[in-house]
Structure formats: structure tokens, C-alpha cells
Amino acid sequence: MLETLSLASHGPVIPVIVIQRLEDAVPLAEALVAGGVRVLEVTLRTPVALQAMEVMAKVPGAIVGAGTLRTPTDVTNARNAGCQFGVSPGYTDALAEACKTTGLPLLPGVSTASEVMTANAAGFSFLKLFPAVAVGGVNLLKSLAGPFPDVAFCPTGGISLETAPQFLKLPNVKVCGGSWLTPQDAVDAKGWARITQLAAEAAALRA
């Protein structure tokens, strides 16, 4: 089973992907992988999301996960679609239990110290800070480092190519999530070369 912390070993950025049309799924995944971005979070925000995950999971080199997991049913559906990990905007014991039961590694979302403690008590030491910029961003992560030296984070939400380095240089940040790698206008125009370039720029980021 893939451990969520190992996701960080594949590069500094995990794209947060919203698929509106199933026909875009495979070429989008191929474009990202070609740019050096292998870990792909596909959100459960559209009617074709699960089908998109299923076909993207078959793209050579892609490590596909399901984002926006909110219920145990979401977990089962993601696992059945071939996802290798799951990401949630928040944390619940029911969601964690469903992931453990199905063997789907989970990157749970938190936004406060109390939520960090709850997820950590359940055995999670790699957490998604969401929505990162809105809840305090770099300053919050610096503050959390003191009481939680054993917890690592994947900040997501409001981060850009320009601000990502500020997060990645923090010792408790292993990788960050971003939607800037797959802008909707580029996807609509089938601008796969542009997305490959954005992926290459993201892959080149270093702390």
C-alpha cells in the first residue's frame, strides 16, 4: 500500500485537478507526466470525476488519487476507480476508518491545531493544510511546527507558482498542492504543451 508521505518523493507539487470533460482526462494526465509531475489529485467535484480517475490511472507513470473525499462511499468509489491514495478537505473518524478498511492511503485535511491533534491521534502524521492561504499560510505552518515537530504538511489552497517556494522552504512542508498547473482555459483550448510547461516549472521548484 502506498504511504501518503511517499507522495512527496515524486516532486514538490501535487496538482489539484477538476475534470469537466472525460475526453480531457488522458491527454491532461499525459501532459502532466511529460512535464515531470506524476502524482495527480483528481477532485470529486464533477459528474465525470470517477470515470476520469479510472482512465487516468492507466496512464504510464501517473499516480492517481481522489480528492474531495467526504464520505465512506467516496472512499469505496475512489478505490474501485483505481486510485492509489485519497485526499480530503477535512478529517472525520468515519472517513479515516473507511480508508483503513479499503486500504486507501489518506491525506486528511486540517486547518487548526485541534484538527491536527485529532488526525494525529488517529495515526496520521502527514496532513493537508486546507485552505492553506485563507487559514494563515506560511505563518500558521511556522506556528504549528513548534507543538507538532513530528507532523508534516501538504498546504493546498491559494498557492501559486510564485508563492510555492515560500511554503516549500519550511521544514514541516514536504510538498504543496496547486490548481495552477491545470488552468481551465488551457484545458478548454486543449493546450497540452502549455500544461506540460507548467508541470515542468512546478517540478523544478526546490525548497
Side-chain angles (χ1 to χ4, degrees), residues 80-189:
N80 290 342
C83 289
Q84 292 183 258
F85 66 96
V87 184
S88 59
Y91 174 84
T92 67
D93 288 331
L95 193 65
E97 186 59 35
C99 285
K100 291 175 183 177
T101 299
T102 60
L104 185 71
L106 176 66
L107 176 59
V110 298
S111 61
T112 67
S114 293
E115 291 169 4
V116 172
M117 290 177 65
T118 299
N120 197 217
F124 295 93
S125 58
F126 183 41
L127 308 173
K128 168 186 174 180
L129 181 70
F130 177 83
V133 173
V135 298
V138 169
N139 288 335
L140 177 58
L141 287 161
K142 287 180 178 178
S143 298
L144 293 173
F148 305 109
D150 55 338
V151 178
F153 293 92
C154 170
T156 304
I159 300 173
S160 66
L161 176 65
E162 292 72 30
T163 61
Q166 300 169 24
F167 287 88
L168 293 168
K169 72 181 180 182
L170 299 175
N172 59 344
V173 171
K174 301 303 181 185
V175 63
C176 64
S179 58
W180 81 85
L181 282 76
T182 57
Q184 194 59 50
D185 63 334
V187 176
D188 290 343

Side-chain angles (χ1 to χ4, degrees), residues 67-93:
T68 325
L69 296 180
R70 294 174 54 192
T71 68
T73 299
D74 290 340
V75 173
T76 300
N77 290 340
R79 197 57 163 161
N80 290 342
C83 289
Q84 292 183 258
F85 66 96
V87 184
S88 59
Y91 174 84
T92 67
D93 288 331

